[in-house]
PDB file of all heavy atoms in Angstrom:
ATOM      1  N   ALA S   1       0.813  -1.224   0.000  1.00 96.00           N
ATOM      2  CA  ALA S   1       0.001  -0.004  -0.002  1.00 96.00           C
ATOM      3  C   ALA S   1       0.844   1.270  -0.002  1.00 96.00           C
ATOM      4  O   ALA S   1       0.557   2.217  -0.753  1.00 96.00           O
ATOM      5  CB  ALA S   1      -0.950  -0.009   1.190  1.00 96.00           C
ATOM      6  N   GLU S   2       1.864   1.344   0.849  1.00 97.00           N
ATOM      7  CA  GLU S   2       2.682   2.560   0.890  1.00 97.00           C
ATOM      8  C   GLU S   2       3.354   2.818  -0.455  1.00 97.00           C
ATOM      9  O   GLU S   2       3.406   3.967  -0.918  1.00 97.00           O
ATOM     10  CB  GLU S   2       3.730   2.461   2.004  1.00 97.00           C
ATOM     11  CG  GLU S   2       3.183   2.637   3.402  1.00 97.00           C
ATOM     12  CD  GLU S   2       4.274   2.718   4.454  1.00 97.00           C
ATOM     13  OE1 GLU S   2       5.358   2.111   4.260  1.00 97.00           O
ATOM     14  OE2 GLU S   2       4.053   3.386   5.471  1.00 97.00           O
ATOM     15  N   GLU S   3       3.879   1.770  -1.084  1.00 97.00           N
ATOM     16  CA  GLU S   3       4.531   1.940  -2.375  1.00 97.00           C
ATOM     17  C   GLU S   3       3.552   2.418  -3.443  1.00 97.00           C
ATOM     18  O   GLU S   3       3.875   3.272  -4.278  1.00 97.00           O
ATOM     19  CB  GLU S   3       5.184   0.634  -2.831  1.00 97.00           C
ATOM     20  CG  GLU S   3       6.439   0.245  -2.072  1.00 97.00           C
ATOM     21  CD  GLU S   3       6.133  -0.604  -0.843  1.00 97.00           C
ATOM     22  OE1 GLU S   3       4.954  -0.676  -0.417  1.00 97.00           O
ATOM     23  OE2 GLU S   3       7.092  -1.198  -0.303  1.00 97.00           O
ATOM     24  N   ILE S   4       2.326   1.887  -3.407  1.00 96.00           N
ATOM     25  CA  ILE S   4       1.314   2.283  -4.393  1.00 96.00           C
ATOM     26  C   ILE S   4       0.924   3.746  -4.204  1.00 96.00           C
ATOM     27  O   ILE S   4       0.823   4.503  -5.175  1.00 96.00           O
ATOM     28  CB  ILE S   4       0.087   1.355  -4.289  1.00 96.00           C
ATOM     29  CG1 ILE S   4       0.461  -0.038  -4.811  1.00 96.00           C
ATOM     30  CG2 ILE S   4      -1.102   1.923  -5.063  1.00 96.00           C
ATOM     31  CD1 ILE S   4      -0.567  -1.104  -4.518  1.00 96.00           C
ATOM     32  N   ILE S   5       0.740   4.151  -2.956  1.00 96.00           N
ATOM     33  CA  ILE S   5       0.424   5.555  -2.699  1.00 96.00           C
ATOM     34  C   ILE S   5       1.584   6.440  -3.126  1.00 96.00           C
ATOM     35  O   ILE S   5       1.384   7.513  -3.715  1.00 96.00           O
ATOM     36  CB  ILE S   5       0.090   5.762  -1.212  1.00 96.00           C
ATOM     37  CG1 ILE S   5      -1.190   5.021  -0.848  1.00 96.00           C
ATOM     38  CG2 ILE S   5      -0.063   7.252  -0.890  1.00 96.00           C
ATOM     39  CD1 ILE S   5      -1.427   4.896   0.640  1.00 96.00           C
ATOM     40  N   GLY S   6       2.821   6.013  -2.836  1.00 96.00           N
ATOM     41  CA  GLY S   6       3.991   6.775  -3.258  1.00 96.00           C
ATOM     42  C   GLY S   6       4.055   6.936  -4.762  1.00 96.00           C
ATOM     43  O   GLY S   6       4.341   8.036  -5.274  1.00 96.00           O
ATOM     44  N   SER S   7       3.774   5.870  -5.496  1.00 95.00           N
ATOM     45  CA  SER S   7       3.756   5.947  -6.960  1.00 95.00           C
ATOM     46  C   SER S   7       2.682   6.922  -7.427  1.00 95.00           C
ATOM     47  O   SER S   7       2.896   7.719  -8.348  1.00 95.00           O
ATOM     48  CB  SER S   7       3.486   4.563  -7.554  1.00 95.00           C
ATOM     49  OG  SER S   7       4.528   3.674  -7.249  1.00 95.00           O
ATOM     50  N   TYR S   8       1.529   6.863  -6.792  1.00 95.00           N
ATOM     51  CA  TYR S   8       0.429   7.768  -7.147  1.00 95.00           C
ATOM     52  C   TYR S   8       0.836   9.219  -6.940  1.00 95.00           C
ATOM     53  O   TYR S   8       0.612  10.075  -7.807  1.00 95.00           O
ATOM     54  CB  TYR S   8      -0.795   7.435  -6.303  1.00 95.00           C
ATOM     55  CG  TYR S   8      -1.946   8.385  -6.504  1.00 95.00           C
ATOM     56  CD1 TYR S   8      -2.811   8.240  -7.592  1.00 95.00           C
ATOM     57  CD2 TYR S   8      -2.179   9.423  -5.602  1.00 95.00           C
ATOM     58  CE1 TYR S   8      -3.870   9.120  -7.777  1.00 95.00           C
ATOM     59  CE2 TYR S   8      -3.237  10.299  -5.782  1.00 95.00           C
ATOM     60  CZ  TYR S   8      -4.077  10.141  -6.870  1.00 95.00           C
ATOM     61  OH  TYR S   8      -5.124  11.008  -7.050  1.00 95.00           O
ATOM     62  N   LEU S   9       1.439   9.507  -5.798  1.00 95.00           N
ATOM     63  CA  LEU S   9       1.818  10.881  -5.500  1.00 95.00           C
ATOM     64  C   LEU S   9       2.918  11.375  -6.445  1.00 95.00           C
ATOM     65  O   LEU S   9       2.936  12.554  -6.805  1.00 95.00           O
ATOM     66  CB  LEU S   9       2.275  10.996  -4.038  1.00 95.00           C
ATOM     67  CG  LEU S   9       1.170  10.784  -2.995  1.00 95.00           C
ATOM     68  CD1 LEU S   9       1.747  10.791  -1.590  1.00 95.00           C
ATOM     69  CD2 LEU S   9       0.084  11.849  -3.127  1.00 95.00           C
ATOM     70  N   ARG S  10       3.812  10.484  -6.849  1.00 93.00           N
ATOM     71  CA  ARG S  10       4.830  10.887  -7.819  1.00 93.00           C
ATOM     72  C   ARG S  10       4.212  11.200  -9.170  1.00 93.00           C
ATOM     73  O   ARG S  10       4.584  12.176  -9.825  1.00 93.00           O
ATOM     74  CB  ARG S  10       5.886   9.787  -7.961  1.00 93.00           C
ATOM     75  CG  ARG S  10       6.832   9.672  -6.767  1.00 93.00           C
ATOM     76  CD  ARG S  10       8.048   8.822  -7.093  1.00 93.00           C
ATOM     77  NE  ARG S  10       7.682   7.456  -7.457  1.00 93.00           N
ATOM     78  CZ  ARG S  10       7.506   6.473  -6.569  1.00 93.00           C
ATOM     79  NH1 ARG S  10       7.653   6.717  -5.261  1.00 93.00           N
ATOM     80  NH2 ARG S  10       7.208   5.256  -6.967  1.00 93.00           N
ATOM     81  N   VAL S  11       3.254  10.394  -9.587  1.00 90.00           N
ATOM     82  CA  VAL S  11       2.603  10.599 -10.891  1.00 90.00           C
ATOM     83  C   VAL S  11       1.748  11.856 -10.875  1.00 90.00           C
ATOM     84  O   VAL S  11       1.748  12.656 -11.819  1.00 90.00           O
ATOM     85  CB  VAL S  11       1.733   9.365 -11.248  1.00 90.00           C
ATOM     86  CG1 VAL S  11       0.846   9.668 -12.466  1.00 90.00           C
ATOM     87  CG2 VAL S  11       2.613   8.158 -11.530  1.00 90.00           C
ATOM     88  N   ARG S  12       1.012  12.050  -9.784  1.00 83.00           N
ATOM     89  CA  ARG S  12       0.087  13.191  -9.707  1.00 83.00           C
ATOM     90  C   ARG S  12       0.765  14.465  -9.224  1.00 83.00           C
ATOM     91  O   ARG S  12       0.192  15.544  -9.309  1.00 83.00           O
ATOM     92  CB  ARG S  12      -1.073  12.858  -8.753  1.00 83.00           C
ATOM     93  CG  ARG S  12      -1.945  11.716  -9.234  1.00 83.00           C
ATOM     94  CD  ARG S  12      -2.665  12.055 -10.534  1.00 83.00           C
ATOM     95  NE  ARG S  12      -3.612  11.023 -10.902  1.00 83.00           N
ATOM     96  CZ  ARG S  12      -3.358  10.022 -11.758  1.00 83.00           C
ATOM     97  NH1 ARG S  12      -2.159   9.940 -12.326  1.00 83.00           N
ATOM     98  NH2 ARG S  12      -4.285   9.133 -12.035  1.00 83.00           N
ATOM     99  N   GLY S  13       1.956  14.343  -8.702  1.00 70.00           N
ATOM    100  CA  GLY S  13       2.655  15.525  -8.220  1.00 70.00           C
ATOM    101  C   GLY S  13       2.082  16.030  -6.916  1.00 70.00           C
ATOM    102  O   GLY S  13       1.392  15.316  -6.189  1.00 70.00           O
ATOM    103  N   LYS S  14       2.328  17.263  -6.623  1.00 57.00           N
ATOM    104  CA  LYS S  14       1.930  17.849  -5.332  1.00 57.00           C
ATOM    105  C   LYS S  14       0.534  18.468  -5.355  1.00 57.00           C
ATOM    106  O   LYS S  14       0.070  18.998  -4.361  1.00 57.00           O
ATOM    107  CB  LYS S  14       2.936  18.935  -4.921  1.00 57.00           C
ATOM    108  CG  LYS S  14       4.370  18.464  -4.832  1.00 57.00           C
ATOM    109  CD  LYS S  14       4.578  17.521  -3.656  1.00 57.00           C
ATOM    110  CE  LYS S  14       6.053  17.158  -3.515  1.00 57.00           C
ATOM    111  NZ  LYS S  14       6.287  16.213  -2.413  1.00 57.00           N
ATOM    112  N   LYS S  15      -0.134  18.411  -6.520  1.00 56.00           N
ATOM    113  CA  LYS S  15      -1.366  19.206  -6.654  1.00 56.00           C
ATOM    114  C   LYS S  15      -2.461  18.783  -5.685  1.00 56.00           C
ATOM    115  O   LYS S  15      -3.308  19.589  -5.307  1.00 56.00           O
ATOM    116  CB  LYS S  15      -1.893  19.129  -8.096  1.00 56.00           C
ATOM    117  CG  LYS S  15      -2.346  17.742  -8.532  1.00 56.00           C
ATOM    118  CD  LYS S  15      -2.959  17.799  -9.935  1.00 56.00           C
ATOM    119  CE  LYS S  15      -3.480  16.426 -10.357  1.00 56.00           C
ATOM    120  NZ  LYS S  15      -4.154  16.490 -11.662  1.00 56.00           N
ATOM    121  N   HIS S  16      -2.467  17.500  -5.283  1.00 63.00           N
ATOM    122  CA  HIS S  16      -3.551  17.046  -4.435  1.00 63.00           C
ATOM    123  C   HIS S  16      -3.357  17.418  -2.962  1.00 63.00           C
ATOM    124  O   HIS S  16      -4.334  17.567  -2.234  1.00 63.00           O
ATOM    125  CB  HIS S  16      -3.722  15.525  -4.547  1.00 63.00           C
ATOM    126  CG  HIS S  16      -4.279  15.106  -5.872  1.00 63.00           C
ATOM    127  ND1 HIS S  16      -5.156  15.873  -6.586  1.00 63.00           N
ATOM    128  CD2 HIS S  16      -4.097  13.974  -6.594  1.00 63.00           C
ATOM    129  CE1 HIS S  16      -5.480  15.241  -7.699  1.00 63.00           C
ATOM    130  NE2 HIS S  16      -4.865  14.107  -7.731  1.00 63.00           N
ATOM    131  N   LYS S  17      -2.125  17.558  -2.532  1.00 80.00           N
ATOM    132  CA  LYS S  17      -1.820  17.904  -1.135  1.00 80.00           C
ATOM    133  C   LYS S  17      -2.547  16.975  -0.153  1.00 80.00           C
ATOM    134  O   LYS S  17      -3.179  17.421   0.808  1.00 80.00           O
ATOM    135  CB  LYS S  17      -2.169  19.366  -0.864  1.00 80.00           C
ATOM    136  CG  LYS S  17      -1.334  20.349  -1.670  1.00 80.00           C
ATOM    137  CD  LYS S  17      -1.670  21.779  -1.338  1.00 80.00           C
ATOM    138  CE  LYS S  17      -0.819  22.736  -2.157  1.00 80.00           C
ATOM    139  NZ  LYS S  17      -1.136  24.160  -1.885  1.00 80.00           N
ATOM    140  N   LEU S  18      -2.461  15.706  -0.431  1.00 92.00           N
ATOM    141  CA  LEU S  18      -3.106  14.735   0.437  1.00 92.00           C
ATOM    142  C   LEU S  18      -2.400  14.627   1.783  1.00 92.00           C
ATOM    143  O   LEU S  18      -1.170  14.656   1.853  1.00 92.00           O
ATOM    144  CB  LEU S  18      -3.107  13.355  -0.232  1.00 92.00           C
ATOM    145  CG  LEU S  18      -4.137  13.146  -1.343  1.00 92.00           C
ATOM    146  CD1 LEU S  18      -3.834  11.862  -2.098  1.00 92.00           C
ATOM    147  CD2 LEU S  18      -5.539  13.079  -0.763  1.00 92.00           C
ATOM    148  N   LYS S  19      -3.193  14.489   2.838  1.00 96.00           N
ATOM    149  CA  LYS S  19      -2.638  14.223   4.156  1.00 96.00           C
ATOM    150  C   LYS S  19      -2.550  12.706   4.317  1.00 96.00           C
ATOM    151  O   LYS S  19      -3.551  12.007   4.162  1.00 96.00           O
ATOM    152  CB  LYS S  19      -3.537  14.838   5.231  1.00 96.00           C
ATOM    153  CG  LYS S  19      -3.587  16.347   5.201  1.00 96.00           C
ATOM    154  CD  LYS S  19      -4.418  16.914   6.327  1.00 96.00           C
ATOM    155  CE  LYS S  19      -5.893  16.704   6.088  1.00 96.00           C
ATOM    156  NZ  LYS S  19      -6.726  17.387   7.116  1.00 96.00           N
ATOM    157  N   VAL S  20      -1.349  12.213   4.612  1.00 98.00           N
ATOM    158  CA  VAL S  20      -1.117  10.770   4.709  1.00 98.00           C
ATOM    159  C   VAL S  20      -0.784  10.398   6.140  1.00 98.00           C
ATOM    160  O   VAL S  20       0.100  10.978   6.765  1.00 98.00           O
ATOM    161  CB  VAL S  20       0.013  10.315   3.773  1.00 98.00           C
ATOM    162  CG1 VAL S  20       0.200   8.806   3.861  1.00 98.00           C
ATOM    163  CG2 VAL S  20      -0.277  10.732   2.327  1.00 98.00           C
ATOM    164  N   ILE S  21      -1.524   9.410   6.638  1.00 98.00           N
ATOM    165  CA  ILE S  21      -1.266   8.853   7.962  1.00 98.00           C
ATOM    166  C   ILE S  21      -0.758   7.429   7.782  1.00 98.00           C
ATOM    167  O   ILE S  21      -1.358   6.642   7.047  1.00 98.00           O
ATOM    168  CB  ILE S  21      -2.553   8.828   8.807  1.00 98.00           C
ATOM    169  CG1 ILE S  21      -3.064  10.250   9.021  1.00 98.00           C
ATOM    170  CG2 ILE S  21      -2.330   8.124  10.139  1.00 98.00           C
ATOM    171  CD1 ILE S  21      -4.480  10.313   9.558  1.00 98.00           C
ATOM    172  N   SER S  22       0.367   7.104   8.434  1.00 98.00           N
ATOM    173  CA  SER S  22       0.876   5.733   8.360  1.00 98.00           C
ATOM    174  C   SER S  22       1.155   5.230   9.768  1.00 98.00           C
ATOM    175  O   SER S  22       0.937   5.938  10.761  1.00 98.00           O
ATOM    176  CB  SER S  22       2.126   5.642   7.480  1.00 98.00           C
ATOM    177  OG  SER S  22       2.415   4.288   7.183  1.00 98.00           O
ATOM    178  N   LYS S  23       1.642   3.995   9.836  1.00 98.00           N
ATOM    179  CA  LYS S  23       1.805   3.356  11.147  1.00 98.00           C
ATOM    180  C   LYS S  23       3.107   2.556  11.205  1.00 98.00           C
ATOM    181  O   LYS S  23       3.538   1.968  10.210  1.00 98.00           O
ATOM    182  CB  LYS S  23       0.628   2.423  11.438  1.00 98.00           C
ATOM    183  CG  LYS S  23      -0.734   3.074  11.293  1.00 98.00           C
ATOM    184  CD  LYS S  23      -1.869   2.102  11.534  1.00 98.00           C
ATOM    185  CE  LYS S  23      -3.185   2.692  11.063  1.00 98.00           C
ATOM    186  NZ  LYS S  23      -3.320   2.654   9.590  1.00 98.00           N
ATOM    187  N   LEU S  24       3.684   2.543  12.397  1.00 98.00           N
ATOM    188  CA  LEU S  24       4.863   1.736  12.677  1.00 98.00           C
ATOM    189  C   LEU S  24       4.528   0.258  12.512  1.00 98.00           C
ATOM    190  O   LEU S  24       3.471  -0.189  12.939  1.00 98.00           O
ATOM    191  CB  LEU S  24       5.326   2.006  14.110  1.00 98.00           C
ATOM    192  CG  LEU S  24       6.564   1.257  14.601  1.00 98.00           C
ATOM    193  CD1 LEU S  24       7.810   1.785  13.924  1.00 98.00           C
ATOM    194  CD2 LEU S  24       6.675   1.391  16.125  1.00 98.00           C
ATOM    195  N   ARG S  25       5.422  -0.483  11.890  1.00 97.00           N
ATOM    196  CA  ARG S  25       5.171  -1.924  11.713  1.00 97.00           C
ATOM    197  C   ARG S  25       4.888  -2.617  13.043  1.00 97.00           C
ATOM    198  O   ARG S  25       5.564  -2.359  14.045  1.00 97.00           O
ATOM    199  CB  ARG S  25       6.381  -2.598  11.059  1.00 97.00           C
ATOM    200  CG  ARG S  25       6.416  -2.462   9.556  1.00 97.00           C
ATOM    201  CD  ARG S  25       7.436  -3.406   8.959  1.00 97.00           C
ATOM    202  NE  ARG S  25       8.785  -3.129   9.412  1.00 97.00           N
ATOM    203  CZ  ARG S  25       9.707  -4.060   9.661  1.00 97.00           C
ATOM    204  NH1 ARG S  25       9.415  -5.337   9.546  1.00 97.00           N
ATOM    205  NH2 ARG S  25      10.914  -3.708  10.047  1.00 97.00           N
ATOM    206  N   PRO S  26       3.888  -3.501  13.086  1.00 95.00           N
ATOM    207  CA  PRO S  26       3.558  -4.188  14.346  1.00 95.00           C
ATOM    208  C   PRO S  26       4.727  -5.028  14.857  1.00 95.00           C
ATOM    209  O   PRO S  26       5.453  -5.656  14.088  1.00 95.00           O
ATOM    210  CB  PRO S  26       2.382  -5.096  13.953  1.00 95.00           C
ATOM    211  CG  PRO S  26       1.814  -4.498  12.704  1.00 95.00           C
ATOM    212  CD  PRO S  26       2.987  -3.879  11.993  1.00 95.00           C
ATOM    213  N   ASN S  27       4.901  -5.000  16.160  1.00 94.00           N
ATOM    214  CA  ASN S  27       5.871  -5.863  16.845  1.00 94.00           C
ATOM    215  C   ASN S  27       7.298  -5.718  16.320  1.00 94.00           C
ATOM    216  O   ASN S  27       8.102  -6.635  16.445  1.00 94.00           O
ATOM    217  CB  ASN S  27       5.427  -7.337  16.741  1.00 94.00           C
ATOM    218  CG  ASN S  27       4.011  -7.539  17.224  1.00 94.00           C
ATOM    219  OD1 ASN S  27       3.620  -7.038  18.271  1.00 94.00           O
ATOM    220  ND2 ASN S  27       3.209  -8.250  16.455  1.00 94.00           N
ATOM    221  N   VAL S  28       7.619  -4.560  15.759  1.00 94.00           N
ATOM    222  CA  VAL S  28       8.920  -4.389  15.118  1.00 94.00           C
ATOM    223  C   VAL S  28      10.051  -4.231  16.130  1.00 94.00           C
ATOM    224  O   VAL S  28      11.225  -4.436  15.803  1.00 94.00           O
ATOM    225  CB  VAL S  28       8.882  -3.176  14.159  1.00 94.00           C
ATOM    226  CG1 VAL S  28       8.795  -1.862  14.929  1.00 94.00           C
ATOM    227  CG2 VAL S  28      10.068  -3.181  13.209  1.00 94.00           C
ATOM    228  N   ILE S  29       9.713  -3.903  17.366  1.00 92.00           N
ATOM    229  CA  ILE S  29      10.755  -3.623  18.363  1.00 92.00           C
ATOM    230  C   ILE S  29      11.103  -4.857  19.187  1.00 92.00           C
ATOM    231  O   ILE S  29      12.142  -4.898  19.834  1.00 92.00           O
ATOM    232  CB  ILE S  29      10.318  -2.457  19.277  1.00 92.00           C
ATOM    233  CG1 ILE S  29      10.154  -1.196  18.437  1.00 92.00           C
ATOM    234  CG2 ILE S  29      11.300  -2.201  20.408  1.00 92.00           C
ATOM    235  CD1 ILE S  29       9.545  -0.033  19.177  1.00 92.00           C
ATOM    236  N   GLU S  30      10.271  -5.891  19.151  1.00 81.00           N
ATOM    237  CA  GLU S  30      10.498  -7.047  20.015  1.00 81.00           C
ATOM    238  C   GLU S  30      11.932  -7.580  19.904  1.00 81.00           C
ATOM    239  O   GLU S  30      12.384  -7.972  18.831  1.00 81.00           O
ATOM    240  CB  GLU S  30       9.576  -8.205  19.644  1.00 81.00           C
ATOM    241  CG  GLU S  30       8.062  -7.997  19.717  1.00 81.00           C
ATOM    242  CD  GLU S  30       7.566  -6.830  20.512  1.00 81.00           C
ATOM    243  OE1 GLU S  30       7.461  -6.931  21.731  1.00 81.00           O
ATOM    244  OE2 GLU S  30       7.247  -5.815  19.909  1.00 81.00           O
ATOM    245  N   GLY S  31      12.646  -7.562  21.039  1.00 74.00           N
ATOM    246  CA  GLY S  31      13.989  -8.128  21.089  1.00 74.00           C
ATOM    247  C   GLY S  31      15.053  -7.300  20.411  1.00 74.00           C
ATOM    248  O   GLY S  31      16.183  -7.754  20.253  1.00 74.00           O
TER     249      GLY S  31
END
């Protein structure tokens, strides 16, 4: 999903000014 949104924003440029919310990968810190 992040890569697809990134591709979209590159193709469409800055004109949309979309606000993007993302999240830290689950359980990424364990150990």
Side-chain angles (χ1 to χ4, degrees):
E2 285 188 330
E3 287 90 345
I4 290 169
I5 295 166
S7 296
Y8 175 81
L9 293 175
R10 287 194 299 273
V11 169
R12 296 296 187 264
K14 303 290 185 181
K15 65 175 183 176
H16 289 328
K17 296 182 180 179
L18 283 168
K19 294 183 286 186
V20 182
I21 298 167
S22 194
K23 307 178 194 76
L24 180 71
R25 278 193 298 143
N27 306 314
V28 70
I29 297 172
E30 300 343 277

